[in-house]
Amino acid sequence: MQIKGEDYSIVFDDKLNTVNFNGSLRLENMGEYNAIEQFLLDVHELNLPFLNLDFKEVEFLNSSGIAMLCRFIMDVKKQNKMPVIVTGNDDILWQKKSFANLKLLWDKVEVKFGRAQ
Amino acid sequence: MKIGDYLEIPETKKVILIKLTHADLLKIWKRCGLTANYGASYLISSCPEKKDVMNSVSMILNELLENAAKYSDEEMGSIELTITLSGDSAILQVDNIIDEQRYMIFRKFADKITNCEDVNSLYIEKLQSFGENDGMKSGIGLLTVLSFFNPKMGFMFQPLKEANKYKVSVQAAMPIEGATTCR
């Protein structure tokens, strides 16, 4: 399962239960993010032991994209089906700020940080 | 009318001035990001050891440009991006023209965020509202900038001679530690 845009790719690795985000996501509005949100919801529909969203290779996500990610987290919080891990890049300030907020939206989100390869 | 920490920038102090139109940005949306990356790279090229702030500068510029592209007046769509180094701060500014309706909304919003003691709570409240509301425009760009990067924000609203049109200048002053030593 994957979605590719001009400047980004989003690929689900079913061996690691991880959605790998890559590139720069600066789409025009939340409507344009609907396809990505639906992709994440489709992955979440699979009966996984956990879901990891890995943003280490993402340079930019605009405010509409951050809002989409928050909406997804609030949606899966309601379902409470599996633990969600968000892996960020320790070198990128917006990721540190943004992913700390995800924990405020749902305290069961686990936030980890690493570095891009 | 000035709101918040708006600074007058002398022409001679400007590091970069880019003129765009909202129609061109709306036609090819990625031009917002391209321009933000260019502005950030251009600025940071004078202080290469500050490369780690390039990503944050580009994030801020992109949000300012996206707002200008989305909310500019249909007939008067000129947009200006200005970057200035002042002391230890980079002043990132985007000017555009808005109509009366947008002016009323935006002036109120500028007042609210510059007088707000806890922007993070305001931001989280707004994020939570997306769970219940599927609006196409998130309207969250400036709150994101304030919450993540905590720049000093300033706004200037100037009525134009054309009826019901206003020029709005939005400034975000981003501290860059040691910027005074930049070339």
Side-chain angles (χ1 to χ4, degrees):
Chain A
M1 291 169 79
Q2 62 176 24
I3 295 191
K4 286 201 175 175
E6 200 180 342
D7 300 310
Y8 67 88
S9 67
I10 304 168
V11 181
F12 176 57
D13 179 339
D14 59 359
K15 291 188 182 65
L16 296 174
N17 302 320
T18 296
V19 177
N20 288 301
F21 293 75
N22 203 301
S24 177
L25 289 91
R26 284 170 156 172
L27 308 185
E28 190 167 344
N29 53 46
M30 288 188 79
E32 290 214 5
Y33 278 107
N34 281 347
I36 295 173
E37 192 174 0
Q38 191 54 54
F39 175 85
L40 294 178
L41 289 169
D42 289 347
V43 172
H44 183 260
E45 280 293 306
L46 305 171
N47 195 18
L48 305 173
F50 66 90
L51 173 61
N52 180 23
L53 307 177
D54 191 325
F55 289 88
K56 288 200 303 293
E57 303 288 342
V58 174
E59 196 178 4
F60 298 112
L61 181 65
N62 64 2
S63 59
S64 304
I66 291 166
M68 176 277 294
L69 181 63
C70 293
R71 195 165 62 178
F72 169 74
I73 292 295
M74 285 189 288
D75 207 343
V76 298
K77 175 187 177 181
K78 279 184 213 152
Q79 299 182 46
N80 199 9
K81 273 173 33 183
M82 67 190 71
V84 175
I85 303 162
V86 177
T87 308
N89 185 325
D90 209 22
D91 294 323
I92 298 182
L93 180 62
W94 69 260
Q95 293 202 11
K96 288 194 247 187
K97 298 279 185 178
S98 177
F99 300 158
N101 286 335
L102 297 179
K103 273 198 88 64
L104 295 177
L105 297 175
W106 188 20
D107 56 6
K108 284 188 183 166
V109 173
E110 185 186 346
V111 180
K112 297 196 297 192
F113 286 96
R115 293 216 147 85
Q117 288 188 338
Chain B
M1 178 206 286
K2 289 181 198 173
I3 296 176
D5 296 296
Y6 185 85
L7 296 169
E8 297 289 346
I9 310 282
E11 278 299 318
T12 51
K13 290 270 185 188
K14 291 175 182 173
V15 175
I16 191 167
L17 168 64
I18 301 175
K19 294 190 180 197
L20 308 154
T21 70
H22 94 299
D24 284 336
L25 295 182
L26 288 177
K27 194 158 64 184
I28 313 265
W29 187 250
K30 75 180 280 182
R31 284 173 171 158
C32 294
L34 288 171
T35 310
N37 288 350
Y38 173 71
S41 304
Y42 190 98
L43 175 74
I44 300 302
S45 63
S46 71
C47 32
E49 68 278 17
K50 303 290 167 205
K51 217 175 167 190
D52 56 326
V53 296
M54 200 160 85
N55 181 279
S56 298
V57 170
S58 177
M59 282 287 283
I60 297 173
L61 287 176
N62 186 60
E63 293 300 331
L64 300 184
L65 285 166
E66 287 194 1
N67 272 353
K70 282 180 191 171
Y71 299 118
S72 279
D73 181 75
E74 286 298 322
E75 294 155 8
M76 300 178 71
S78 67
I79 296 172
E80 279 189 15
L81 165 68
T82 315
I83 300 177
T84 313
L85 267 176
S86 172
D88 261 351
S89 290
I91 300 170
L92 315 172
Q93 177 171 332
V94 171
D95 299 357
N96 65 303
I97 294 162
I98 54 177
D99 63 20
E100 177 97 33
Q101 190 191 3
R102 181 68 198 152
Y103 164 70
M104 300 301 281
I105 296 168
F106 196 40
R107 201 189 65 183
K108 205 167 141 191
F109 181 71
D111 260 329
K112 187 175 173 180
I113 61 172
T114 48
N115 292 310
C116 177
E117 285 178 10
D118 188 357
V119 172
N120 290 324
S121 296
L122 197 61
Y123 178 63
I124 298 292
E125 268 172 39
K126 184 90 176 164
L127 289 176
Q128 283 168 333
S129 74
F130 292 133
E132 297 130 29
N133 175 359
D134 289 337
M136 295 291 277
K137 285 184 177 176
S138 63
I140 203 168
L142 288 180
L143 278 177
T144 306
V145 164
L146 268 170
S147 171
F148 288 12
F149 307 109
N150 195 27
K152 280 189 176 174
M153 296 286 308
F155 302 84
M156 169 72 109
F157 295 94
Q158 293 168 276
L160 299 181
K161 61 178 189 300
E162 291 81 1
N164 306 323
K165 312 271 186 200
Y166 295 81
K167 179 181 171 186
V168 55
S169 306
V170 182
Q171 264 182 6
M174 170 91 174
I176 298 179
E177 205 182 318
T180 42
T181 60
C182 293
R183 280 176 278 159

